[in-house]
Every structure is written in C-alpha cells, then in structure tokens.
Amino acid sequence: MTSMPVVYGAPYSVYVRAVRLALEEKGVAYRLDPVDVFAENGPPASLLERQPFGRIPAFEHDGFQLYEAGAIERYVDEAFPGPALQPSAPRERARVNQLTSILDSYAYRTLVWDIYVERVSAPKQGRAPDGARIQAALPKAQLCLRAINDLMDGGPFLAGAELTLADLHAAPMFAYFALAPEAEALLAAQPLIEAWWADMMRRPAMQATAYPA
C-alpha cells in the first residue's frame, strides 16, 4: 500500500483530530481534505457518499474507504509501520477499548458539549451560556474523570506505561474541556489525569494538529 491516506473532515473536530493524532504518532504522511459539516447547507454530497450519516471523519487509503473514528484509528495502527498504539496482550488491549468506550459513551458529550461549548463557545457566538446545563454536567464530568483516573494503574498514560489509542482518542476532548474554567478544579482532583494532560500537551503530534493551528 503506497498511496497517501486521506482524512475527510474539519480540523476543529474532536474525532478528526484523534485520527490525525494516530497518523502523526505512527509517522504516516497524510492529507486532510477539509469538510465542514456545520456549513449552512449541511454536509456536502461528497461526504455523504463516503459517510451516509453525514459525520466526520471519513477516510480512504489505497482505494479502501472507512468511517467511524475508532475503526479508522485501529486501521491506522495495524496497517502502517511505526510504534504500536494497541497492546498485544488481551487484558491490556481490552483496557484500551474500555477507556475508548467510556470516552465516547460518557465523556465526550459531558466534557465537550455540556461544559466547553456552553462555557467557551456560546459567548463567542453571542449566546449566553446555559448555566443549568453546565451545573448538571459537573457531577457527570467528575464521575468520568474519576473513572478514567481509577483505571490508569499508575500511568503515565491512560492505559498504563505506553501511549495507546486511548490517549489519542481522549486528548482532543480534553483540549477543549481544559479551556473551560471549570476544568481546573476537576482536573486537580484527579492527579494522574492532570499529569497525563500536562504531558500530552507537549507532544509534537498534539502541536501539529492544534486548532486553530
């Protein structure tokens, strides 16, 4: 397989960035083909041909098309040379998958939409933050962070001693969440996650995929 992989999506997207982080950490050259799903007329027809649900990212490599960020991340890890981003042992691999599921099922909406979007994005768009929504999200955020912290087994990464897809799936969510003032106290209460996040921010892959660049 020699053709350069293409990521279809917007650089502001949490899940597009997670896929790009996997490519960056593997040292794979790729092309980002911008797609704005929040455009006035909705997702373009070209995206719907690749992703029938109109979500991002979509992905293509050497004629092979794929969508859903988790599936793309695993493909990137397994299809290209470079450092392994998934453990080979069943229990450690299951932990990575468990953390990714926690992030998708519980953390993403709470940390990004209920806290970051309401506290940080809404004022920039001329809308008052929904204080009730933020307050309702704080206990959920606390639970998510505590659950992840408890699974870290001493760290320094989310699934233990090595960087995995779990870290790359989480980092874009935390990049937005950390911009909200509420994040400081919540992160301080979970010292393993706080230290992890400080280290993740310094990684070249994070800097290469930062939005805005």
Side-chain angles (χ1 to χ4, degrees):
M1 291 180 288
T2 57
S3 66
M4 181 181 292
V6 182
V7 180
Y8 298 89
Y12 59 70
S13 163
V14 162
Y15 288 107
V16 169
R17 190 178 187 188
V19 167
R20 295 176 67 202
L21 285 171
L23 289 159
E24 294 280 351
E25 292 286 354
K26 296 289 285 190
V28 178
Y30 65 94
R31 187 177 89 239
L32 177 64
D33 194 332
V35 178
D36 184 7
V37 293
F38 296 123
E40 184 177 351
N41 295 323
S46 59
L47 175 66
L48 294 174
E49 292 173 0
R50 298 180 177 278
Q51 218 288 18
F53 301 99
R55 307 292 288 273
I56 50 177
F59 178 85
E60 183 170 348
H61 175 230
D62 203 23
F64 176 62
Q65 295 187 9
L66 191 62
Y67 61 87
E68 292 301 304
I72 299 169
E73 291 160 28
R74 289 188 289 274
Y75 174 82
V76 166
D77 185 38
E78 295 164 10
F80 296 98
L85 300 175
Q86 299 175 95
S88 57
R91 291 184 179 184
E92 286 77 6
R93 200 177 185 97
R95 185 69 77 209
V96 171
N97 292 334
Q98 179 186 23
L99 285 160
T100 302
S101 183
I102 290 169
L103 291 160
D104 287 340
S105 300
Y106 312 113
Y108 171 62
R109 178 156 294 279
T110 298
L111 301 185
V112 177
W113 286 97
D114 294 343
I115 296 178
Y116 163 77
V117 168
E118 287 302 321
R119 179 62 73 204
V120 180
S121 287
K124 292 181 180 179
Q125 298 167 359
R127 179 172 65 82
D130 186 338
R133 182 173 177 179
I134 295 170
Q135 288 302 311
L138 295 179
K140 299 176 185 176
Q142 184 180 41
L143 175 59
C144 289
L145 296 177
R146 185 171 67 246
I148 293 170
N149 194 84
D150 290 348
L151 291 173
M152 286 181 67
D153 195 27
F157 297 103
L158 296 187
E162 303 294 335
L163 180 82
T164 70
L165 293 178
D167 302 289
L168 307 182
H169 208 72
M173 301 181 193
F174 278 79
Y176 281 135
F177 170 63
L179 297 176
E182 288 82 1
E184 183 175 0
L186 288 166
L187 289 171
Q190 307 298 339
L192 288 178
I193 293 183
E194 187 177 42
W196 164 82
W197 178 235
D199 288 341
M200 287 299 295
M201 285 191 292
R202 291 191 288 266
R203 296 189 73 85
M206 286 291 289
Q207 297 169 27
T209 59
Y211 177 81

